[in-house]
C-alpha cells in the first residue's frame, strides 16, 4: 500500500477513528505530516532489513535504500502519483540491475586480458583462475562487496607487501599501488561499476599471482634446461581464496600453497635470519696477502670473531672465554673457521687460504640471494611422494639418499660425488627413477667421447683398445658379443656403425657398480677407480655422469628390501656382469642449489660452478606470469562469465 494512501486513510475527516477534530484543519495537517514522517522512518528501516536479507552486497544496502527513499519521499510529496511498484519489488530490481552491471564489467576485464592498474598489465595467463574465482562469487565484487572490505583487502595487501619473506619480489604484486588506491576505492559510488570492478579484480589478480609464484615459482625450469617432471595436477587457487576469505583466514593462505619440504621451510627461516644479520652486522672484509695458519697473528681477529659468532660458526659462550687482547689465531676460533669451511664446500683444515678468504668476504646480501634462488628452485619441484629418494646436489658435490623424504627424522645416507666438468661436460638437472643396478658393468662409451678422445688415440696406436680393456660391438647390451678390430673399423666407428665399450675390471671407468635410471641425457650414478678425486674440495671432473664415493652403501640403500649385505658383497667380488631389477623404482633427482641445509642441520653455501645462479637471476629480472601449461600435465577449460 502506498504510504500516502495509508496515512490519508488513518486521518480521514469522516472516520470515527480519527484522532483529530474536523474543525481544526491546520492542526490536523501538521499532525498528519508529522505522522507520515514517522511512518516513513519505520517503513524505510524495515526495508533496510529486507534488503540485507536479499542476495545482494550488504555494503550497498544503504545505497539501495536511499534510492527507494527518494521514491517514497516523492510519493509523500505527490500522493496522487504513487509508487509504480511495491518497495520490495523495487529493491529486487535495483539489486538485479547492479548484479548485471557488475558482471558485465568483470566479464569485460577478463575478456580484455589486460589490467591497467597493474605493473604487469598482461593478465592472459591468470584469466582462467580469475574467471573461476568470480564465477564462485556469483560474478559479483569479491572484496569491495563486503562489510569487511577494508579488513579483508588490508590483509591481502599485507601478504603482497610481505612477499619478500618468502624470497619473492614484492614489487611484482603492486601492493603499494593498490594500498594507495584503497581509500578512494572504498568511497566509490555503488553505480561506479567500472572503477569498482577494476579495483576488485586488481586485488584478486595480485593475490592470484602471488600465490601462483609461491607455489610454482616465477620461472619455467624447462626454459633454463632444468628437466624436471611436470606436475600431475594443479592447485585450485580460486577455491583456496574463496574458502579462506569465507573463514576470515586470508593471512594463512601462504602456508596453504608454499612447498611443504623441510628444506624449503628451513631456508625460509634462514632467509629471515640473514636479512636481520645484513641489517645489523657491519660489513666484514678480511685483508691478508698470505695464508693464515693456526698460531699466526691476525690483526682483524676481533672482527673475525664477531663475524663467526653472527653466522653461527662460533658459539657465543665459547667466544667469551677467549675474548682478550691477543691477536693469536688459535683455540675455538680455529674450530669455528673449520666449521665455516665445512659449510662452504672448502677443505676444513683451519688454514685461511685464498678460498677461505674469498668465502669470508662474500657479502651477506649475496648469501641472501643464494637462499632466495634455492627457494625458487625448490618451488619448481612437483609433489614428492613419501618414501625413498636419492638427491644429488651438483654444486655441493654431495649425494643424499633419504629413506623417507616425508619424514624429517628418517635415516639419510650421504656421500661425496664427482660431477661433470664445468663449462664442458656439465651434469644435467633431471628427474628419473632408479630401475636397475649393474654389478661389474660394461662402460658403454658415448659416441661423443669415441669421436673426440678414443679415435685420435686409436689412430695413433691400433692396439689402444686392448691396453684399456676396451672392445668393439655392433650394439650395446650385456649379452652382446664383441667383434674384432679390422682395417674398416675406424670408418665404422666414425659413422657410428660400431661402438666401443670397456670390459668389467680394474680399469673400468664405472668401477664395480652402475646405478641406472633411464633418461634422455643418458647419465647415471656409478663407482670409479679414481678414488683420490674424492679428497678434493671441488669435484667436477667427469664427462657428465656422477661418480659416488661409497657405491656399496648406495647399493645397500637401493636393495634394502631385496638383497642382504652379504649378497651385495658377493656381487661386487664376482667378475661376471649381473643386473638386478628393483622391485620398486626409487626416484632420483639431480638438482642445483648453492644454499642447502645438510643432514646436520647446518646451512651450507656452495660455489656456483656452472653459473646457474647468474642464469636464474637474469630470468627473474624479466618477471612474467607463467602459463599453467608449462608446469602441469593437467588442463581445464576456462569458465565463461555469464550475465545474470
Amino acid at each position: 500500500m502506498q504510504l500516502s494512501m495509508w496515512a490519508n486513510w488513518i486521518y480521514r475527516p469522516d472516520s470515527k477513528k480519527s484522532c483529530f477534530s474536523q474543525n481544526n484543519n491546520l492542526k490536523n495537517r501538521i499532525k498528519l505530516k508529522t505522522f507520515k514522517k514517522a511512518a516513513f522512518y519505520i517503513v524505510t528501516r524495515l526495508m533496510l532489513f529486507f534488503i540485507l536479507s536479499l542476495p545482494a552486497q550488504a555494503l550497498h544496502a544503504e545505497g539501495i535504500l536511499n534510492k527507494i527513499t527518494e521514491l517514497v519521499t516523492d510519493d509523500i510529496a505527490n500522493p496522487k502519483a504513487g509508487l509504480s511498484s511495491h518497495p520490495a519489488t523495487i529493491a529486487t530490481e535495483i539489486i538485479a540491475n547492479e548484479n548485471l552491471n557488475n558482471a558485465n564489467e568483470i566479464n569485460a576485464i577478463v575478456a580484455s586480458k589486460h589490467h591497467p592498474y597493474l605493473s604487469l598489465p598482461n593478465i592472459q595467463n591468470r584469466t582462467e583462475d580469475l574467471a573461476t574465482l568470480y564465477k564462485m562469487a556469483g560474478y559479483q565484487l569479491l572484496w569491495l562487496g563486503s562489510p569487511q572490505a577494508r579488513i579483508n583487502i588490508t590483509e591481502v595487501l599485507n601478504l603482497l607487501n610481505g612477499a619478500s619473506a618468502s624470497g619473492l619480489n614484492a614489487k611484482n604484486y603492486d601492493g603499494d599501488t593498490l594500498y594507495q588506491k584503497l581509500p578512494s576505492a572504498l568511497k566509490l559510488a555503488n553505480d561506479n561499476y567500472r572503477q569498482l570492478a577494476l579495483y576488485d579484480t586488481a586485488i584478486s589478480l595480485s593475490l592470484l599471482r602471488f600465490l601462483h609464484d609461491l607455489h610454482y615459482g616465477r620461472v619455467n625450469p624447462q626454459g633454463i634446461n632444468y628437466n624436471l617432471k611436470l606436475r600431475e595436477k594443479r592447485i585450485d587457487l580460486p577455491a583456496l581464496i574463496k574458502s579462506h576469505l569465507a573463514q576470515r583466514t586470508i593471512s594463512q593462505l601462504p602456508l596453504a600453497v608454499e612447498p611443504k619440504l623441510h628444506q624449503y621451510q628451513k631456508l625460509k627461516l634462514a632467509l629471515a635470519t640473514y636479512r636481520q644479520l645484513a641489517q645489523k652486522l657491519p660489513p666484514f672484509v678480511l685483508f691478508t696477502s698470505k695464508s693464515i695458519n693456526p698460531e699466526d697473528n691476525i690483526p682483524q681477529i676481533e672482527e673475525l670473531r664477531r663475524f663467526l659468532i653472527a653466522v653461527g660458526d662460533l658459539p657465543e659462550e665459547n667466544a667469551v672465554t677467549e675474548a682478550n687482547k691477543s691477536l693469536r689465531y688459535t683455540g675455538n676460533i680455529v674450530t669455528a673457521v673449520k666449521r665455516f669451511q665445512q659449510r662452504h664446500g672448502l677443505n676444513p683444515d683451519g688454514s685461511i687460504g685464498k678460498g677461505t678468504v674469498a668465502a669470508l668476504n662474500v657479502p651477506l646480501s649475496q648469501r641472501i640471494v643464494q637462499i632466495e634462488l634455492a627457494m625458487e628452485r625448490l618451488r619448481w619441484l612437483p609433489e614428492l611422494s613419501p618414501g625413498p629418494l636419492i638427491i644429488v646436489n651438483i654444486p655441493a658435490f654431495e649425494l643424499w639418499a633419504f629413506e623417507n623424504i616425508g619424514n624429517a627424522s628418517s635415516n639419510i645416507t650421504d656421500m661425496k660425488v664427482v660431477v661433470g666438468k664445468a663449462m664442458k661436460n656439465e651434469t644435467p638437472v633431471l628427474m628419473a627413477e632408479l630401475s636397475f643396478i649393474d654389478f661389474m658393468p660394461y662402460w658403454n662409451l658415448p659416441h661423443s667421447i669415441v669421436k673426440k678422445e678414443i679415435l685420435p688415440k686409436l689412430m695413433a696406436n691400433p692396439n689402444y683398445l686392448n691396453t684399456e680393456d676396451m672392445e668393439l660391438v655392433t650394439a650395446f647390451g650385456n649379452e652382446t658379443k664383441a667383434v674384432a678390430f679390422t682395417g674398416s673399423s675406424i670408418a665404422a666407428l666414425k659413422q657410428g656403425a660400431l661402438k666401443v665399450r670397456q670390459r668389467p675390471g680394474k680399469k673400468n671407468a664405472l668401477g664395480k657398480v652402475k646405478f641406472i635410471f633411464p633418461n634422455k641425457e643418458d647419465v647415471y650414478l656409478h663407482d670409479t677407480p679414481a678414488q683420490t678425486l674424492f679428497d678434493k674440495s671441488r669435484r667436477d671432473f667427469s664427462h657428465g655422469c656422477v661418480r659416488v664415493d661409497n657405491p656399496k652403501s648406495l647399493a645397500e640403500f637401493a636393495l634394502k628390501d631385496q638383497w642382504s649385505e652379504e649378497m651385495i658383497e658377493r656381487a661386487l667380488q664376482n667378475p661376471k656382469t649381473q643386473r638386478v631389477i628393483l622391485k620398486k623404482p626409487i626416484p632420483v633427482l639431480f638438482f642445483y642449489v648453492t644454499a642447502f641445509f645438510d643432514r646436520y642441520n647446518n646451512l651450507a653455501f656452495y660455489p656456483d660452478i656452472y653459473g646457474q645462479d647468474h642464469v636464474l637471476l637474469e630470468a627473474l629480472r624479466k618477471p612474467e606470469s607463467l602459463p599453467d601449461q608449462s608446469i602441469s600435465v593437467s588442463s581445464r577449460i576456462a569458465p565463461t562469465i555469464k550475465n545474470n
Side-chain angles (χ1 to χ4, degrees), residues 276-318:
Q276 292 176 354
L277 289 177
Q279 289 179 351
K280 69 179 184 180
L281 192 67
F284 172 65
V285 177
L286 181 62
F287 299 98
T288 180
S289 58
K290 61 180 182 178
S291 294
I292 302 172
N293 298 311
E295 302 299 331
D296 288 348
N297 286 338
I298 303 179
Q300 294 176 267
I301 192 73
E302 284 304 315
E303 292 178 64
L304 177 60
R305 192 194 315 276
R306 284 195 298 269
F307 177 81
L308 293 171
I309 292 172
V311 297
D313 292 315
L314 178 60
E316 195 160 4
E317 59 271 19
N318 293 348

Side-chain angles (χ1 to χ4, degrees), residues 80-81 84 121 158 166 175 396 408:
K80 292 183 180 180
S84 60
N158 288 340
S166 298

Side-chain angles (χ1 to χ4, degrees), residues 452-467:
K452 294 178 182 178
E453 301 180 27
I454 303 302
L455 275 172
K457 295 176 181 177
L458 189 56
M459 293 172 69
N461 177 15
N463 197 41
Y464 175 78
L465 294 181
N466 287 332
T467 61

Side-chain angles (χ1 to χ4, degrees), residues 308-434:
L308 293 171
I309 292 172
V311 297
D313 292 315
L314 178 60
E316 195 160 4
E317 59 271 19
N318 293 348
V320 171
T321 61
E322 290 190 351
N324 52 50
K325 300 298 182 180
S326 174
L327 301 179
R328 187 71 57 86
Y329 173 49
T330 186
N332 289 334
I333 197 166
V334 174
T335 302
V337 167
K338 289 181 179 180
R339 189 162 185 262
F340 177 88
Q341 291 171 325
Q342 185 75 46
R343 290 195 308 110
H344 291 77
L346 302 165
N347 183 23
D349 57 6
S351 294
I352 305 177
K354 289 183 179 180
T356 302
V357 171
L360 286 168
N361 290 345
V362 170
L364 291 179
S365 59
Q366 184 173 325
R367 299 303 186 196
I368 291 172
V369 171
Q370 286 182 259
I371 296 172
E372 291 176 336
L373 297 183
M375 293 173 69
E376 171 69 12
R377 292 184 177 112
L378 288 173
R379 285 190 278 264
W380 299 343
L381 293 177
E383 294 75 12
L384 298 174
S385 301
L389 175 69
I390 297 172
I391 296 178
V392 172
N393 187 8
I394 297 168
F397 312 112
E398 292 281 343
L399 177 149
W400 291 271
F402 299 85
E403 285 191 0
N404 187 352
I405 191 63
N407 184 354
S409 60
S410 68
N411 292 330
I412 301 174
T413 299
D414 65 324
M415 64 192 68
K416 298 176 181 179
V417 299
V418 171
V419 301
K421 184 68 176 175
M423 313 308 292
K424 187 176 182 181
N425 302 303
E426 297 179 358
T427 296
V429 170
L430 58 80
M431 296 186 75
E433 289 189 332
L434 176 60

Side-chain angles (χ1 to χ4, degrees), residues 434-507:
L434 176 60
S435 302
F436 47 92
I437 300 172
D438 279 356
F439 291 94
M440 293 300 171
Y442 287 97
W443 177 32
N444 301 320
L445 278 71
H447 183 65
S448 59
I449 295 179
V450 171
K451 184 178 179 180
K452 294 178 182 178
E453 301 180 27
I454 303 302
L455 275 172
K457 295 176 181 177
L458 189 56
M459 293 172 69
N461 177 15
N463 197 41
Y464 175 78
L465 294 181
N466 287 332
T467 61
E468 296 299 324
D469 284 344
M470 294 180 179
E471 59 190 20
L472 300 178
V473 291
T474 56
F476 291 137
N478 290 343
E479 305 303 322
T480 304
K481 301 298 182 181
V483 299
F485 181 80
T486 66
S488 62
S489 295
I490 296 292
L493 281 171
K494 289 181 178 179
Q495 296 170 1
L498 284 179
K499 303 178 185 299
V500 178
R501 71 181 182 186
Q502 190 175 41
R503 292 184 291 271
K506 293 182 179 180
K507 289 187 176 182

Side-chain angles (χ1 to χ4, degrees), residues 580-591:
V580 184
I581 299 175
L582 271 64
K583 291 181 179 178
K584 186 177 181 180
I586 298 174
V588 174
L589 171 63
F590 282 10
F591 209 47

